[in-house]
Each structure stands twice: as structure tokens, then as C-alpha cells.
Amino acid sequence: MKFGVIIFPGSNCDHDAYWTIQHVARQPVTFLWHESHDLENCDAIIVPGGFAYGDYLRTGAIAKFSPVMDSVRKFAAGGGLVLGICNGFQILCESGLLPGALMRNVGLKYVCKPVYVRVENANTPFTSTCREGEVLTIPIGHMEGNYFCDEATLAELRRDQRIVFRYATPDGDITPAANPNGSLDNIAGICSPGRNVLGMMPHPERSSEPELGCTEGFKIFESLVGAMAEK
Amino acid sequence: MNLSPALAITPEVVQEHGLTPEEYEKVKQLLGGREPTLTELGIFSVMWSEHCSYKSSRVHLKRLPTRSRLVVQGPGENAGIIDIGDGWACAFKIESHNHPSFIEPFQGAATGVGGILRDIFTMGARPVAVMDSLRFGPITPAKAAGEGARATPAELHKNHSVLEGVVSGIASYGNCFGVPNLGGETKFEPCYSGNPLVNAFALGLVRRDQIFYAKASGEGNPVIYVGSKTGRDGIHGATMASEEFSEASEAKRPNVQVGDPFLEKLLLEACLEAMQTGAIVGIQDMGAAGLTCSTCEMGGRGHVGIEIELDRVPQRETGMTPYEIMLSESQERMLLVAQKGREDEVFRVFQKWGLDAVDVGRVTTDGKMRVLEHGKVVAEIPNEALTDDAPVYKRPLQRWEPPIPREKPDGIKLAGPGDLTENLKRLLASPNICGKRWVWQQYDSMVQTNTVEGPGAGDAGVIRIKGSQRGLAMALDGNGRWCYLDPRLGAMHAVAEAARNVACAGATPVGATNCLNFGNPEKPYIMWQFSQVVDGMTRACEELEVPITGGNVSFYNETLGEGIYPTPVVGIVGILEDVHQATQPHFRQAGRTVVLLRAGEPGDITDAESEFGSSEYAKEVLGAVWGYPPELELEREAALQKAIVEMIQTGLVESAHDCSDGGLAVALSEAALPQAVGVRVSVASQGLPPEFALFGEDASRIVISCDRDKLSGIQQVAVKYGLSADVIGETVPEQVEIKLDGGVVVSAAVSELREAYESALEKALRTETEVVAAD
């Protein structure tokens, strides 16, 4: 049972995810280089946050062409577990592993702060240790987190319960004021039809240790470890 | 400037290069009597500029204390280094990027961050935190104290757009690079309208035995250029930073460099990885004065020569002259010396990260910087001529009095029937005191997952060190208005307050870095201000045991002859033995005892009146500035800081907040806002007007909250250090109430105060837009 954390040039949350897996979850973990097709027999892949290839064109637009993403597509098609965080979510959308796109925040500014997200579906490999409707405090830090998709896709996401996290108030109400970036339907995270690929804008690795003021993000890693053990 | 190589060197050309006739004579003498080539003249021009040579400040800077048993590296390298225990050291420095940020706010500020980050990782340290100290002209139309008129809509608009540009520049660079921004300070005064100050601080961690220095050695070792290609941007940036601004300064926009944070991130990873190979001998970033500075300084420090061939320098455009290549300030470049025969190990790493790495020259033994183009020598200058032999001026000093009354003007009435609750709200909403969320929420403050105390709430930023129990606290502070009124005392306060902020987090202050922002040093009164500031800083750093390990000086912050307040900014770093003990400034729960820990006694009415004139209250509410900064007894301040650290480390204290801008009433409110825990206190006026007790800015005071059981422990520590620790009240739910001599003078819901504090900055920026639109 092994995690792999991808490094693109410009990834900057790669070490954070690695640390959380190694020192908090206490699981084996290795880095995967963007130019390599080899996923080194990892059982779960983390596509970390950052600015892959500088993100100068459009977030994730270059990363989708990298050799490692080729392998990740195949891995996901075979049911492999893939977690995309922040820039990772953007890359998964660009790569076609998740539907929709992440546009510029409505305020047009980068926003870094803790937000509340409500767990919409606790029946995924990433949320199995949460309760449905549970509110987690997890920080965001992005310029392009404004999720968008067409109506048909949204209907499909709703129908198949693929909306995993939505921005909410501390009491779990879904309100416009609780939405930090203008995301459609307050969407903070969605999964693939097979539930094995999750993309989320909040950074669970930033709220996984008491020193950082919050540990609720660790539930995502905890769930993932549990799911890997079951496989 | 005509850069044709055939250009004859006339007195006009010399003058255009910012050199005096005497300096030019010295150039010739140092070249053994011959005329310099144009390239050489350009090289002397940048290396002898104020920015690079410190020619006006050097004689004064020598007075600063720079040593302690923890200092591994003092001034003179890319950054200072302090031993922080457990085999770790930290490299840190603060630097100005004022001039570029005024001309082109976004890129100016962005490359300011980029430059300071390179200074850190060139020493082998991974940057783990940045902070910024920012100063702008007014952003609200309110009449500014001491100034004749309100800021015009055009001025407001300019200040607004400089603020917007600077903040997004800092955000864009730091966020992409992936270093958390822990805050800093954002201040507004009319004097910064034409001269905004952008001072960027960075701190990195390095293993004590893996530090790299900017020193060349080993004859025949290859000199390798890495990173971005050289373009025509930023030529003469250092010279620009050594001149006053005029109306023509807009035309200097091409002198501002353009930053690429993505490339810098790659450069960071590649440099740290290349250092691990063991093949690197010395390394320096190319900042001000680019290739010129890195070449002669690395050679100079190692007492060797360096020869480079410009044909091999990666270039962004064709047809660049030696003059342009040597003076370009293109960003994200480094020069390194590798061990002969091990070049390939270095090249492999840079290739992996997709960066240029080119062998451009070699180390020689003759102590000269020799520059070749197509094999022909275009410049040959002894290193010393550019570094140690650069001019040093002992410029004339002239004592100066600010055009400000030293006593309270008769028209100013205190102890009137005014509503003190309303005035507290006005202060909380004033630009200097109000919440700066609009600024710091644009910065990634959490990347690297080390942030224990981020921006906004804290007096200091705090990070943990992974794999260790230890943590580091850091704070920036400056007070231009106080230095204007009394440069020496103002500088002492800057050091004391930054150190007090660090101590309030529970950390022992161990090192300092300074950024000295001043007007034109050729004016004797400016030089006097500078000298006074250095004296004050020296005294305070000695007394508080925080040596200065580096920093920079920014002169010529003048536009059309109008200078800034003398503005020294101090960054202090402190060590927490156990980061889990880091204490926050805000009240955590109701029912706690609130104590005012204090090193001095309030002065008599004359002192109090004179000191009150320098407060934020006087400026914002009374619309006047007079008098002097508050008194500061450094021995007692040192005792206060030791005491609070001891109290925190022995677990006596639940929260600790430094009492500064806006006095006790503002400190109590700031402590109440974050968790919406109110406070009820009762203080005595001691016969002074009520404003003094509430809003006076007496130094050396800390508001703490604690469990009632811990009170006797706190008082024992206070007695040991000769301090008073008076219980002034307790925390309560949701209300801030202050009684003075038994009568309630301030009473407000925390939510009301929070609204005033949190919404002010955004409101100011919005209103300003409307004012301009309506204009």
C-alpha cells in the first residue's frame, strides 16, 4: 500500500501532501516526476497544489499533456484512487478525469482563508470517515476556484451524488455568503462516476495537524487509507 | 542614455552615469591612470551607486552591533544567519524595493519579493516565510494632520492603485513561488504619496553545516551562469534607486525588471538540489547590478579574480552590447563557482529543471574582474576598485527640528464631552489601525504547512520547524511619524516594538535585520536623521540583545524635493524552544483575568501631553500632530520582554498582546475581536484627561489574560523583573466595557467594534473609487 505524490515544475504543495501522508497518516509515500510514465506501483495518486508549469496559459492546461498524466488517466480508468487538491483539481478537470472547469474567482483576487465545507456524500473512498452533512473546516488558497459546468453536467453530478463538498456556513447552510469564489452551486469538490477520482479546491493537508490550528482535513486522508486497506 | 560603444567619455557622459568629477578621477587612478571604456564606466557607475556601495551610510552602519554567540553570519553576505538550535540555522533579511514599486507597482513589488527570496536560497536555505512592511499615501479623503489640504481625488486614486498593484505583485510572486506570507504592516501617511515604501522580508531554514557563501575560490574552477536569460530590462536599476524622483520618472519604467515566479521556483529547487551534489564552491544571486555585482563581489570575497566571456551568457535578445549585458538586472539568475571536473553534476540538475546553466568563465588568481567579448577584453577592473575602494563619504550632518509644535496647541481641547466609544470606533476604522484582511487574504499564508500564527491576528508570525519541537517567531515594525519627531527615540521604539511583538508570542528575540528608508543623503539634515536613527537602533539592539545581521539602506526617497519621514523598519526573529507554547494575542474565553503588565509608570501631565501629540488618536481624531514619541527605558523594556517570555514558557498566560498604536483601548479591542470574547476593565485616570488613559501610547505595556489561579505566579515573575502586573478586569461575553475612575466611558458590542475594524479598508478603497468617478 503506497501513495504517490506527483511533482510538476511549479508544484508547491507536493511536499506538504508528502509530509501529511508520511508523518501524520504514517503511510509509505513516494514522489512521482512529471516526465515519467512510471507510477511505481502506487495505490493512490495525489495531484498536489501549486502552479504547474507556471499556470501562465490556463490552470492545468499544460500539465494535462505531461507523461505522468497519461499514466494517471490509465490508472484512474482501472479504478485507481486519485486525489486532486487545488491546482490538482484544475489539472484533473483539464485532463478530462473530472467534468467542468475552474474559472477565476468572482472577486478576481487570490483568496487564502479557512472555509467551511459540508460533506454531501460520505459514501466515497475519500469521505468514508465523515458523516453526510458534517461540516469540515479546511483552508482554501487559490485564484481560480470558481467551479463551472453546463446544466446537463450539473444535473448529472447531482443525480449521481458526485458533488462531494459544498461551501457552507459553520452550521451547514449553503448560502451565497458562504461561497468564497462564486462556484456554481457552492461546489468545492466533485468525484468521478466510479467515485475513485476526487478533485477539491480546499487543502486538507493544511488542516491535518493540531499545530496548524485544525485537524478536520485529515479525515480525507484517513478515509483514503481505509479505502486502500480494503482494496 | 546613448550606449554606443564608440561614445567618447565626456564630462556629460560621466554625469549621466551619476559619478562626480572627483569620483571619475578616482576611477582613472584605480585603473592605473587610464580612461575607462564605456562598459567599465557603466560598471563603476552601478557599483559605486549609493544602492550598491553604501557610500553615504557605511561610516554610520559600522556602529550597529552585529555579533552574538548565535550569529553565524553577520552583514556582508546575501543574508544574515542565526543558529537556532537542533542543528538548524535561519537566514533572513529585509530589503527595500521602493523606487521600482512607485514606477511600476506590480512588477516593482513582485521583483522585490523575488530578490529577497534569492538572497535567502543562495545561502542554501529554503525560504519558509516572507513578510512585508508597506507604506502608502492616504487612501481616505479625511484631512491629514499636519498637512495643509485634503488629498486630492487624483492623489487618492494614485495611492489606491499603487496599493492595489503592490499587494497583487507581492501576492502573485509569493503565492506562485510557494512561500507563506505571515503579514507585516501596512501604514498610510501623506509623506508616502510620492514615495511608497515596499520593504520585503524573507526567512529560510538551513542545516547549520550546509550553509553556502557567495565566495569564489580555486584557480581554474568554472564559473557557471544559471537561470533566466539576460535581457535589456532593469539596466541601471541600481542607479535609479540612487536618485530623487522628478516628473520625468515615468520614463524610467523600462528600468524596472519583470519577474517570473515560476522560473524562480525552478531555480530554488535546482539550486538546493545542485548544492546537495557537493560540487558547488560558492554562489551568489544576480540582483542589483546583475552580472557585474555577482562577479566582482564573489571574486572580492574570495580574494581571487574572475574572468567571463560574454558570448557564452544566455541572452534573450540579439545585439546586446557588453555594457547592456553587464548592467542588465534581468531577474531569476545566479552565478556559481563549481569544482573543476564536476561541472556535469551541476549541469545535470539544472537540465532536469529545464534551466539554462552555462560555463561562462573561470576563477583566476589576479584579483581582477575581466570581461571578454569575442575573446577581446572589454573590461578589466581590480575587484577592490569596485568594492572596498568604492568612495566612502562622511557627509555633513545638521541637527534638525521638525516644523511641528512641541507642546499641545491651545486649540486642541481634551477631556471634553466627546463620545469616547465613538472615538474608539473611529480609531479602529482608521487606515493605520484597521484590519488589513483585504491585503493579507490575497497572500497564501499557509503553504508549506508550518504556519502556527499567520497574518491578521498576531503581533508576530509564528512557524513550526518540521521534525523539531522548535518554532520561530518574526515581526516587522517601524514608525515613521515618531522618527520624524525624534529619529533616535523613534528608532529605539521600532526595535523595541518588533522585539516585544516576538516576545508576546513567547519567543526569545535573537536577531534583527533593518531596512533604512530615508530622503536625499546629500542634505545634511537627512544625514543627521540617519545618524540619529543608527544611534537609536544601536542602543536598542545592544540593550535588547538583538544584533543586526544584515539589511539595506534606501536613500533618495524624495519626489520633487519632498522627502519621506525617516523610516527605519526593523525585522526581529525569535526562537521558541517549544512551538506548542506559542501564545496568541486574542482572548480565548470569558471569565479570564485581564492583567496589564507594565514596565514604567505614567508620566506627569506635561510629559503625557507632549507624548500624546504623537499618537494615532491625536492624528486621526484630533487632526493634529505635536510633541515627542513616548519615553522608552530600554533596561525596563528588556526586563518586560524577558518576563513575558518566562510567563508564557511556564504556562502562566493564555493570551498576550502588545499595547501600541491606539493605546490600551485599541489593544483590548483587538484582543476581543477574533474570538468575539468581550472584556470589562476598570482603570484609573491618575488625574489626567481620559483620552490619555484610553488612547495614550506609553511604551512597554502588554495586555495578558490568564486563569485566575495563575495570577500569583504572574505577579511573582513581575516582581522578579521589577514590573507592575495590575489586574484591570476580566473577559466577558460579547461586550467591551472600560470604566475610568469608576464610571463607564466606553461600552460597545464586540460585533460593532469588529464591523468598524474589519470593513474600514475595503470601504475606503470603494469610497475612493466613487469619489474619483464623481470627480
Side-chain angles (χ1 to χ4, degrees), chain B residues 216-233:
Chain B
S217 66
E219 186 186 4
N221 274 339
V223 175
I224 299 173
Y225 170 115
V226 301
S228 181
K229 294 187 201 312
T230 296
R232 287 196 169 99
D233 49 337

Side-chain angles (χ1 to χ4, degrees), chain A residues 10 148 151:
Chain A
F148 185 79
E151 272 178 43

Side-chain angles (χ1 to χ4, degrees), chain B residues 719-772:
Chain B
V719 167
K720 184 170 110 187
Y721 286 99
L723 309 168
S724 51
D726 303 325
V727 174
I728 57 170
E730 58 174 353
T731 55
V732 297
E734 291 164 16
Q735 190 80 7
V736 172
E737 185 185 289
I738 304 176
K739 277 187 190 163
L740 190 67
D741 303 332
V744 174
V745 288
V746 166
S747 177
V750 172
S751 55
E752 272 175 82
L753 299 179
R754 193 215 298 265
E755 168 64 17
Y757 179 81
E758 288 287 354
S759 66
L761 185 55
E762 261 182 274
K763 241 187 237 167
L765 294 174
R766 223 174 24 233
T767 319
E768 184 268 307
T769 316
E770 284 156 15
V771 169
V772 172

Side-chain angles (χ1 to χ4, degrees), chain A residues 7 9-13 15-16 19 33 51 53-54 56 109-114 139 205-206 209 211-212, chain B residues 164 175-176 178 260-262 265-266 352-353 438 441-449 452 464 466 580:
Chain A
I7 303 180
S11 293
N12 63 26
C13 303
H15 286 269
D16 304 355
W19 168 270
W33 188 239
F51 292 68
Y53 302 93
Y56 286 124
K109 293 194 186 320
Y110 189 98
V111 180
C112 177
K113 64 174 184 182
E205 79 280 16
R206 294 185 182 187
E209 292 169 87
E211 289 85 351
L212 308 177
Chain B
E164 284 257 9
N175 295 352
C176 179
D260 180 351
F262 169 59
K265 165 72 173 164
L266 303 184
K352 170 182 163 193
W353 289 97
W438 181 88
Q441 205 161 272
Q442 297 185 49
Y443 303 150
D444 190 340
S445 54
M446 305 179 199
V447 64
Q448 299 192 14
T449 61
V452 173
R464 66 162 171 184
K466 283 187 179 126
H580 299 91

